[in-house]
Amino acid sequence: MCLLLSFTHFFNHIDNLNEANITKTRVRVIMLKPQLKQSHSLLNVFPIQKPFIHGDSANHSSSSAYALTILRQHTSFAKKSTTTGARSTSIAGNIKAISIPFLTKETTVKCVITILPTIGSTLDGISNAGVSLGGVTDVVSDLLGRSFLLELVSNDLDSNGNQKTLRAYARYEALDFDISIYTYKCNFDVPEDFGEIGAVLVENEYSKKMFFKNIVLNNGVTFTCESWVHSKNDNPDKRIFFADKSYLPSETPNGLKSLREHDMESLRGNGEGERKSFERIYDYDVYNDLGAPDEELSLARPVLGGEKHPYPRRCRTGRKMSSIDPLTETRTALPFYIPADEDFSEIKQATFGAKTLYTALHAVVPLLESVFTDTTEGFPLFTDIDMLFNQGVNVPAPDDGILSVFPALLKKTDDTKNAVIQFETPETMDRDRFSWLSDEEFCRQMLAGLNPCSIQLVSEWPLMSKLDPEIYGPAESAITKEIVEKEIKDFMTFDEALAQKKLFMLDYHDLLLPYVNKLRDLKTTTLYGSRTLMFLHPDGTLKPIAIELTHPPYDGKPAWKHVYTPAQVATDLWLWRLAKAHVLAHDAGYHQLISHWLRTHCAIEPYIIATNRHLSQMHPMSRLLLPHCRYTMQINSLARLILINAGGILEKIFFPDEYSMQLSSDVYDQLWRFDHEALPADLINRGIAVEDPTAPHGLKLAIEDYPYANDGLLIYDAIKQWATSYVNHYYPQANLVESDEELQAWWNDIRTVGHGDKKDEPWWPQLKTQDDLIGIVSTIMWVTAGQHSAVNFGQYDLGGYIPYRPTVARTNMPNEDPTDEEWKSFIDRPEDALLKCFPSQLQGIQMLVLYDILSSHSPDEEYIGGNTNATWEAEPTIKAAFEEFRGRLNELEAIIDSRNTDPNLKNRCGAGLVPYQLFKPYSESGVTGRGVANSISI
């Protein structure tokens, strides 16, 4: 009734409408009345409060045949518009009006627009009811048939060099309940001399942005949009979409050239002002928003990016600077700005993980913190760790909304005041609860665990530090040739092992040593530099030889280093177990901060920004890369908000604490190289492989049974073959690569701006030939799909059991300058010493919550090779190449299953071992330990 009164009030004030239009509109209002009186009203037709949009055309439809399905008006009121199909002047590109002779022959082209409805979003605080439009104004737009103004653009210019355009208003048609989409329709009367349609300009008449999935014409032209269209109230410029046919810049039809450049210019911005949520501006900035000095001085953090702390660039938001530190950007409680087309929170379940993570860290983690009065208290017994999976943790009952987000994790109890957080048993614990005690399993993690990309060949001896010995102590390692020979004497001599490439190392010595004293000053944790030496046994497995732990001169004491070796004697055995715990904590922190965050999430963001700034949406390379870029900027923005920020979850549960991001900057400065990010180059760089054209994948592996490398190369080769077919189709000659100004600007932007702190490095690949381009895009696609999946989706199953992989080692080794009382305590209860070394109870539970969310596939995860792109379907050669790519990926499932059941492959097949499945291309939703997502979506 209120809606009807609003309409009546509105129409009483429209004096300039002619009687026919007034009559026609009033009829529509009258027809609403019986609908609203029914139990299934129009508002109920939209179950999640989807936009209340309906009505048919007013002045720009060409037929009544497409009248509203739900609300259809009588044909006597449907009059064909006299302005349908008129060519007009466009806002974009300064298009001039062109008159059309009355007798020009025309063809009616029908247009269907598909709009995705919005869903409730925890990320931006929208209720589960969803997002509704702007009230009466938007409903009236529908009633008048003016929901969207569309303007078709011809590929051809007219004889005077002007663009040819056709305009029509689209009207709401129906909601498809089965696939939950809205349909809008309009018709165009297209003159026969109009030429091929190459672009469409869209003006959104609503008061809120709308997500366009596609625009389809019945003459075979499709515009794949997958994009938000802002309201004209926010930005008067029309959105530009190009047809699915791809063009290199030099091939752009004359009628589209100015639109192509205008569209890219609109995405670049000018580096000024604070960005608004409806904008689609892609610009760069340093990581200057991780600290929060305005809240508390202890939360100040250095700016990452620049000469002092080199780092990749992030997306610029333009928020005001801190009043305490003028170099630090202020923070907000709500998610940071990302370009509108990177925000899928209102339309995709694929961001379920992001929403869940946001909710967990803003609701569940505080629940946990309220339970523990002493946040540093460790697990009293190993059985207390097991109880996390058997009985769970009692917490105050959250509201039902939070419970609904975590149905498998948070459970109600009979006591309405409490709830239980209970975790699923991780695969490692479920298969072999005691595997963490095994030395072989300790080493196997380096090949088939969470961080299988750090192990390296020992090629020089003695092991030497590159740090200043005046500051950090003697450079030569305490692991001697004699120690090694004692451990391997039953198999070969030391010299034979070195020459035959049988010695491997996990080296965190020089990286961590500069942070040891800083971490020890915090008093709540400790740190060592570490080296772990391993021997490749004849059966193909790795055996640990020695662990060296070191700290530099500290608090007036000299540098300290000690070598631990596998032992059977009780005291040495427990010291060995504690040494392994320290190494695993180092590896866990390196995995999360470097292998996961830096090398995938962080390093990829500049590629995404550059792609949008310099590759037109009609550029074939943009269409190849964008499926691998989706969702990443959104999850990275969320990471800056609640994960990697000062006081964020990563600082709380991983060993580098407040120095976590500074450590990642050091690694970027010292070790990151684009030319080493592709899997074959990475393996060669670490000494794990050498080029061999006669070997599978062209590489001979030093460790033949290396699950990460063996399976990863299958994925990488499939990606590269797909990239090869794609690139060679669009660039049949090498000169096309070098002369492509968009492509060259894109690569220059990545090197000199996005990764500008490394712009002068000599190792950047050149971009002159097809092979150059194939290598570059294959690397990017590998990192976003294969590499990220390998280091992300196994976190819960491979890292969720605390003894198997602690994230922090909180106590010094018992033999490092102990008091008599400390040594006696260790001798009497060595198990207590190990439990105190492990993460605290709060840290352990927070880790499990984080791992559970990060390891989960969303219900509509987009897997590599899973869904084709409409623009690829439009090109037969590309369509065939993609089908071949998909076919190769489908074969991997059986290959990996076969490897996991081969008893000769002892690093992936054996009693209690978790099969290595992370490179299986596809998966069901949830925590599965397999599935290669197309992009970094969590």
Side-chain angles (χ1 to χ4, degrees):
M1 182 61 69
C2 291
L3 183 61
L4 293 174
L5 290 174
S6 297
F7 288 157
T8 303
H9 179 75
F10 174 79
F11 287 117
N12 285 338
H13 288 79
I14 304 179
D15 297 325
N16 60 342
L17 286 178
N18 62 49
E19 185 60 31
N21 282 340
I22 294 176
T23 302
K24 182 161 54 175
T25 306
R26 283 175 179 163
V27 169
R28 294 193 192 107
V29 177
I30 293 169
M31 293 187 69
L32 275 172
K33 293 180 181 179
Q35 297 287 342
L36 293 173
K37 290 179 181 179
Q38 297 176 15
S39 59
H40 296 285
S41 69
L42 277 177
L43 294 179
N44 290 330
V45 165
F46 306 123
I48 54 172
Q49 286 285 357
K50 300 181 174 66
F52 183 67
I53 38 184
H54 57 271
D56 60 357
S57 63
N59 295 323
H60 293 79
S61 70
S62 55
S63 171
S64 63
Y66 293 90
L68 176 64
T69 301
I70 299 173
L71 185 64
R72 189 177 297 278
Q73 81 173 40
H74 194 277
T75 55
S76 64
F77 295 102
K79 298 177 66 177
K80 185 173 181 179
S81 169
T82 59
T83 58
T84 300
R87 301 191 191 184
S88 64
T89 301
S90 164
I91 293 176
N94 297 319
I95 302 169
K96 298 180 180 179
I98 304 166
S99 63
I100 299 177
F102 179 76
L103 296 178
T104 299
K105 185 177 180 181
E106 297 177 337
T107 301
T108 298
V109 174
K110 299 178 180 180
C111 172
V112 179
I113 305 169
T114 301
I115 304 290
L116 293 187
T118 57
I119 61 175
S121 172
T122 305
L123 272 176
D124 52 15
I126 298 171
S127 70
N128 289 332
V131 182
S132 60
L133 289 183
V136 173
T137 302
D138 289 334
V139 175
V140 170
S141 292
D142 288 316
L143 290 171
L144 297 178
R146 293 170 177 255
S147 302
F148 305 110
L149 173 61
L150 271 64
E151 192 167 354
L152 300 182
V153 182
S154 172
N155 281 351
D156 304 326
L157 298 174
D158 69 3
S159 57
N160 295 320
N162 299 316
Q163 287 176 314
K164 305 177 186 179
T165 67
L166 293 169
R167 300 176 66 188
Y169 278 100
R171 66 179 179 278
Y172 175 67
E173 178 72 11
L175 166 67
D176 189 317
F177 291 94
D178 294 330
I179 55 178
S180 189
I181 60 171
Y182 295 121
T183 299
Y184 291 73
K185 292 183 178 180
C186 64
N187 291 348
F188 294 91
D189 291 336
V190 182
E192 64 179 3
D193 65 343
F194 189 73
E196 184 178 353
I197 298 169
V200 60
L201 312 181
V202 180
E203 182 177 86
N204 176 9
E205 305 296 313
Y206 291 119
S207 62
K208 291 179 182 280
K209 63 183 181 180
M210 300 289 279
F211 192 88
F212 277 53
K213 185 170 180 60
N214 57 40
I215 301 172
V216 179
L217 307 182
N218 70 342
N219 64 352
V221 177
T222 298
F223 304 89
T224 300
C225 306
E226 297 290 342
S227 177
W228 291 101
V229 175
H230 56 260
S231 167
K232 70 175 185 180
N233 299 329
D234 291 326
N235 182 351
D237 291 343
K238 295 177 182 177
R239 277 299 312 277
I240 304 170
F241 294 109
F242 296 103
D244 284 352
K245 185 175 182 179
S246 297
Y247 295 99
L248 297 179
S250 61
E251 302 167 341
T252 308
N254 290 333
L256 306 182
K257 287 182 178 179
S258 62
L259 290 180
R260 181 170 186 149
E261 183 56 36
H262 177 83
D263 187 48
M264 285 189 293
E265 286 179 355
S266 71
L267 299 178
R268 293 174 189 151
N270 58 10
E272 298 177 359
E274 183 171 356
R275 299 272 66 87
K276 300 176 178 61
S277 61
F278 64 83
E279 293 180 324
R280 298 168 55 245
I281 304 298
Y282 294 80
D283 204 354
Y284 298 99
D285 206 346
V286 293
Y287 279 75
N288 61 354
D289 62 348
L290 302 181
D294 290 350
E295 295 179 27
E296 190 176 326
L297 287 177
S298 64
L299 296 178
R301 297 292 182 269
V303 173
L304 303 185
E307 185 176 353
K308 188 174 182 180
H309 298 293
Y311 216 57
R313 297 302 188 260
R314 63 166 175 92
C315 182
R316 181 184 176 276
T317 64
R319 297 189 306 275
K320 67 179 183 178
M321 307 307 285
S322 162
S323 59
I324 302 297
D325 178 5
L327 299 179
T328 296
E329 193 171 77
T330 55
R331 298 173 56 79
T332 63
L334 296 175
F336 299 153
Y337 163 83
I338 52 173
D341 283 350
E342 305 299 331
D343 182 4
F344 296 87
S345 60
E346 295 181 44
I347 56 149
K348 293 287 288 183
Q349 292 185 64
T351 55
F352 170 79
K355 298 173 191 175
T356 306
L357 182 60
Y358 183 86
T359 304
L361 301 186
H362 274 77
V364 177
V365 168
L367 285 178
L368 292 170
E369 292 175 344
S370 70
V371 173
F372 296 97
T373 55
D374 181 2
T375 59
T376 65
E377 182 181 0
F379 291 94
L381 301 169
F382 279 92
T383 52
D384 292 310
I385 298 176
D386 298 345
M387 285 175 62
L388 296 175
F389 313 104
N390 301 331
Q391 299 181 22
V393 181
N394 290 319
V395 296
D399 60 50
D400 290 340
I402 301 300
L403 286 169
S404 67
V405 176
F406 302 96
L409 188 62
L410 270 170
K411 299 175 175 62
K412 288 185 176 180
T413 64
D414 294 336
D415 179 3
T416 57
K417 294 183 179 180
N418 292 297
V420 173
I421 295 180
Q422 185 174 346
F423 299 95
E424 295 292 327
T425 304
E427 192 79 1
T428 48
M429 179 185 177
D430 191 46
R431 286 178 176 265
D432 185 354
R433 184 174 158 220
F434 302 103
S435 64
W436 66 277
L437 293 168
S438 164
D439 287 348
E440 287 74 14
E441 186 66 12
F442 168 75
C443 291
R444 196 180 76 89
Q445 288 193 49
M446 318 305 172
L447 305 175
L450 268 189
N451 190 39
C453 42
S454 289
I455 186 172
Q456 58 184 287
L457 177 72
V458 175
S459 57
E460 297 179 350
W461 199 268
L463 303 176
M464 299 289 291
S465 170
K466 297 179 181 179
L467 299 175
D468 185 349
E470 295 294 323
I471 299 175
Y472 298 103
E476 186 169 334
S477 169
I479 302 176
T480 63
K481 178 178 177 179
E482 290 72 27
I483 291 174
V484 176
E485 286 194 322
K486 179 181 178 182
E487 297 296 325
I488 68 171
K489 63 179 185 295
D490 293 339
F491 305 102
M492 61 183 64
T493 66
F494 170 84
D495 291 334
E496 290 171 335
L498 188 64
Q500 295 177 29
K501 299 182 177 180
K502 301 295 183 182
L503 299 179
F504 297 87
M505 178 173 55
L506 200 63
D507 187 3
Y508 297 132
H509 182 276
D510 284 12
L511 179 64
L512 299 185
L513 212 56
Y515 289 92
V516 168
N517 292 345
K518 295 177 182 179
L519 264 295
R520 290 189 172 210
D521 284 340
L522 298 179
K523 307 301 182 185
T524 57
T525 187
T526 193
L527 186 64
Y528 296 95
S530 68
R531 292 187 181 101
T532 304
L533 195 64
M534 293 162 279
F535 171 69
L536 183 61
H537 191 273
D539 67 2
T541 62
L542 290 171
K543 311 294 183 186
I545 295 175
I547 293 172
E548 179 184 24
L549 299 180
T550 306
H551 75 64
Y554 175 72
D555 198 20
K557 299 177 182 178
W560 180 93
K561 61 178 62 180
H562 191 88
V563 176
Y564 303 89
T565 58
Q568 303 298 322
V569 178
T571 299
D572 291 341
L573 174 61
W574 278 100
L575 288 172
W576 172 245
R577 288 172 177 168
L578 281 156
K580 287 196 296 181
H582 279 270
V583 170
L584 289 170
H586 300 168
D587 196 53
Y590 189 92
H591 157 261
Q592 199 65 255
L593 297 168
I594 310 304
S595 301
H596 186 199
W597 164 254
L598 174 65
R599 291 184 59 188
T600 64
H601 287 259
C602 183
I604 285 295
E605 187 154 340
Y607 312 153
I608 300 171
I609 296 173
T611 298
N612 283 277
R613 286 169 61 86
H614 293 290
L615 295 182
S616 166
Q617 56 177 287
M618 69 166 70
H619 197 292
M621 302 317 299
S622 172
R623 287 170 166 167
L624 175 66
L625 291 174
L626 283 180
H628 296 277
C629 299
R630 300 182 77 191
Y631 317 120
T632 304
M633 289 182 69
Q634 185 173 48
I635 198 66
N636 284 4
S637 170
L638 185 61
R640 300 200 326 270
L641 182 68
I642 55 178
L643 279 178
I644 63 173
N645 59 300
I649 194 70
L650 295 194
E651 287 192 358
K652 290 178 179 178
I653 65 176
F654 290 97
F655 77 85
D657 203 280
E658 66 183 62
Y659 298 100
S660 293
M661 297 310 293
Q662 193 172 329
L663 177 69
S664 73
S665 170
D666 289 349
V667 174
Y668 178 72
D669 182 32
Q670 299 169 24
L671 301 176
W672 189 89
R673 293 177 50 159
F674 180 88
D675 62 329
H676 288 169
E677 290 303 292
L679 180 57
D682 170 57
L683 295 171
I684 292 171
N685 177 57
R686 291 188 283 120
I688 303 295
V690 293
E691 292 186 17
D692 182 351
T694 65
H697 316 290
L699 293 176
K700 181 176 177 57
L701 295 175
I703 305 173
E704 293 183 3
D705 181 14
Y706 187 176
Y708 163 76
N710 298 138
D711 295 358
L713 286 168
L714 295 174
I715 294 287
Y716 178 82
D717 280 0
I719 289 172
K720 188 170 184 180
Q721 183 56 55
W722 157 234
T724 299
S725 299
Y726 193 96
V727 168
N728 286 336
H729 173 73
Y730 287 105
Y731 296 92
Q733 293 91 35
N735 67 301
L736 292 175
V737 174
E738 196 165 9
S739 63
D740 185 335
E741 62 268 23
E742 287 184 14
L743 191 68
Q744 296 298 328
W746 167 77
W747 186 231
N748 183 68
D749 217 41
I750 288 173
R751 291 182 296 107
T752 64
V753 186
H755 286 276
D757 293 336
K758 288 181 171 283
K759 65 180 182 297
D760 297 323
E761 297 287 355
W763 41 255
W764 282 105
Q766 60 182 358
L767 182 52
K768 294 183 177 181
T769 68
Q770 298 99 320
D771 285 346
D772 296 338
L773 181 56
I774 291 165
I776 289 168
V777 297
S778 296
T779 297
I780 293 173
M781 291 190 289
W782 157 254
V783 172
T784 60
Q787 180 66 14
H788 179 259
S789 294
V791 298
N792 180 72
F793 290 110
Q795 292 190 76
Y796 191 82
D797 278 336
L798 300 179
Y801 188 43
I802 294 168
Y804 186 85
R805 193 170 179 81
T807 58
V808 63
R810 298 187 299 150
T811 59
N812 292 341
M813 289 295 293
N815 64 322
E816 185 200 330
D817 301 324
T819 64
D820 291 342
E821 183 179 351
E822 290 170 340
W823 184 252
K824 183 178 185 302
S825 176
F826 165 67
I827 295 297
D828 290 345
R829 295 282 301 174
E831 182 177 306
D832 289 352
L834 187 56
L835 287 166
K836 289 177 182 178
C837 183
F838 284 164
S840 70
Q841 293 186 61
L842 179 59
Q843 287 174 318
I845 297 170
Q846 288 174 329
M847 176 204 75
L848 285 168
V849 171
L850 179 67
Y851 280 1
D852 181 81
I853 297 167
L854 295 183
S855 302
S856 295
H857 287 290
S858 67
D860 56 356
E861 187 82 82
E862 297 172 17
Y863 295 99
I864 188 170
N867 296 319
T868 187
N869 187 308
T871 61
W872 305 337
E873 291 282 331
E875 186 64 53
T877 302
I878 298 303
K879 179 180 179 181
F882 181 78
E883 290 300 326
E884 182 181 350
F885 174 52
R886 175 187 283 166
R888 294 186 69 178
L889 293 172
N890 288 336
E891 295 172 357
L892 299 192
E893 186 96 7
I895 294 173
I896 292 172
D897 282 341
S898 175
R899 289 174 173 178
N900 285 333
T901 55
D902 185 346
N904 295 315
L905 302 178
K906 293 181 171 54
N907 290 320
R908 62 194 308 159
C909 177
L913 297 189
V914 177
Y916 194 75
Q917 304 183 94
L918 288 168
F919 285 119
K920 281 190 173 183
Y922 311 114
S923 170
E924 60 272 21
S925 63
V927 178
T928 65
R930 59 183 179 273
V932 179
N934 221 15
S935 63
I936 301 170
S937 59
I938 184 61

